[in-house]
Amino acid sequence: MTKQRDENEKEERVVLMDGVLEGMPLFAKELIAGGVAGGFAKTAVAPLELIKILFQTRQAEFRSLGLSGSFTKIAKTEGALGFFRGNGASVVRIVPYAALHFMAYEEYRRWIIQSIPGVGRGPVLDLVAGSFAGGTAVLFTYPLDLVRTKLAYQVVGSQKLNVQGPATGEQFYKGIRDCFSKTYKKAGIRGLYRGVAPSLYGIFPYAGLKFYFYEKMKSHVPQERRKSIAVKLACGSVAGLLGQTFTYPLDVVRRQMQVQRLSASSSSHEMKGTLDTLVMIVQRHGWKQLFSGLSLNYLKVVPSVAIGFTVYDLMKSYLRVPSRDEAVVEVVTSRRNSKPSSLHS
């Protein structure tokens, strides 16, 4: 009797879930799939992301230690949880960012197909749609990226090793909310968007190239093998690496602009804009500094982009998102069906 009741309850839950999925708008499914993919990917590479930011912004302290030395330093001063410092802000940022990025990419792609008759559906379309989707996502979520960088920058315990930390007199942030509050009080909205220009300069080509290379490589894979997780991981990894290589210097500039108010060296020579920051980095540290942490970033990008694309595709399958061509037809059909009702209302 109990077994039969459990089976009935299980069937009811399945029916309820089916009803929820059937009634959920397409864009909502894409938002959920993108958000889950972003959260999984970002958490998986959080320790490498932390080290990369420290290499970019506190090179005198951490680059001399090297990769293994930096890991050892953080482990001694903060323990295992230290590797995830700022990851809360990172996940809080990446979930809406990835959700908006993937959803906007799909929406821009459908809009271009519907608005421009005869447009090709190859990788060039993915390049354009991905670029605009990346810019859209950055504009909505940039303050969270700024907070994540500031929290990662202030590694606790530097004093124990007699290494200079942030500028003397600069108060440490206690968490995400505290960092938001202090940044806003000090510099207003402009402070929360400090460094957004190089982010936009970089995300347009990076996001576009990432989708371009991903779809381009998949187009060379036999149709029957495209659903393979191994194929998705391989295509996503290479796509992330190629896209990141072309745009990495702008990422370094963005990080420097974000933390310049925390840096003791910037107190007398404040960096103004993107170009001034770029020139200053080259003059002070040489052009190689523009690629500081790139090798480590490769280690991060490979699993991050690969996991992101793979989990996104798996979530779309779980949420029963139709294929892209079917989705275009579905959206067009639903809009046509909605027109008569709007006229009679």
Side-chain angles (χ1 to χ4, degrees), residues 6-312:
D6 292 340
E7 291 180 355
N8 290 338
E9 291 178 352
K10 184 177 181 180
E11 290 179 2
E12 289 176 359
R13 286 195 295 269
V14 171
V15 172
L16 179 61
M17 179 60 69
D18 290 342
V20 172
L21 292 177
E22 289 297 326
M24 189 179 296
L26 180 60
F27 78 89
K29 294 180 181 180
E30 292 165 348
L31 279 172
I32 294 172
V36 172
F40 266 90
K42 182 60 71 174
T43 301
V45 299
L48 290 170
E49 173 72 7
L50 173 65
I51 299 296
K52 186 200 77 170
I53 291 176
L54 293 173
F55 272 24
Q56 290 177 335
T57 58
R58 293 171 69 174
Q59 63 276 0
E61 179 179 346
F62 282 90
R63 289 190 67 196
S64 60
L65 295 175
L67 180 59
S68 61
S70 297
F71 271 103
T72 301
K73 169 184 168 61
I74 294 174
K76 286 182 178 180
T77 57
E78 298 188 70
L81 292 179
F83 292 108
F84 294 89
R85 172 166 294 281
N87 188 56
S90 185
V91 171
V92 167
R93 167 195 168 262
I94 202 62
V95 168
Y97 172 83
L100 283 170
H101 194 175
F102 281 108
M103 186 275 290
Y105 160 72
E106 304 284 5
E107 289 291 329
Y108 281 131
R109 190 177 184 278
R110 285 193 289 267
W111 179 80
I112 292 172
I113 291 173
Q114 296 169 29
S115 303
I116 306 176
V119 67
R121 302 194 183 188
V124 174
L125 173 62
D126 298 300
L127 174 68
V128 176
S131 296
F132 282 101
T136 300
V138 164
L139 286 175
F140 278 96
T141 62
Y142 183 80
L144 290 168
D145 183 52
L146 178 76
V147 169
R148 187 265 183 274
T149 300
K150 288 190 173 186
L151 290 175
Y153 179 78
Q154 56 174 37
V155 175
V156 175
S158 293
Q159 297 85 347
K160 296 179 182 179
L161 299 182
N162 296 321
V163 181
Q164 185 179 1
T168 303
E170 181 69 40
Q171 187 174 6
F172 279 99
Y173 301 114
K174 299 176 182 178
I176 299 173
R177 182 181 298 180
D178 185 52
C179 187
F180 260 114
S181 176
K182 290 178 180 175
T183 302
Y184 180 77
K185 288 180 180 178
K186 188 173 183 178
I189 293 296
R190 291 186 62 182
L192 292 174
Y193 277 87
R194 180 70 182 173
V196 71
S199 293
L200 290 174
Y201 300 156
I203 197 61
F204 267 91
Y206 174 65
L209 288 171
K210 185 173 65 174
F211 280 103
Y212 172 85
F213 287 128
Y214 182 67
E215 296 300 331
K216 184 69 173 178
M217 285 185 291
K218 283 206 309 182
S219 68
H220 293 289
V221 177
Q223 188 67 39
E224 63 273 11
R225 298 190 59 188
R226 291 184 185 178
K227 293 185 178 181
S228 167
I229 292 180
V231 169
K232 294 180 186 298
L233 287 171
C235 292
S237 300
V238 178
L241 287 173
L242 292 175
Q244 185 74 176
T245 301
F246 289 114
T247 60
Y248 188 78
L250 287 169
D251 187 45
V252 175
V253 172
R254 171 169 62 101
R255 298 298 185 191
Q256 290 285 357
M257 291 179 69
Q258 287 176 339
V259 303
Q260 67 172 299
R261 294 184 183 278
L262 300 179
S263 173
S265 62
S266 67
S267 59
S268 58
H269 297 89
E270 183 174 347
M271 295 177 280
K272 300 297 183 181
T274 304
L275 184 59
D276 291 337
T277 304
L278 179 67
V279 172
M280 177 179 284
I281 292 173
V282 173
Q283 289 178 341
R284 290 187 177 182
H285 308 289
W287 65 269
K288 290 184 179 180
Q289 177 63 23
L290 294 176
F291 293 90
S292 175
L294 180 58
S295 58
L296 181 64
N297 206 53
Y298 283 154
L299 297 177
K300 185 204 75 169
V301 166
V302 169
S304 179
V305 177
I307 292 171
F309 274 120
T310 302
V311 174
Y312 177 65

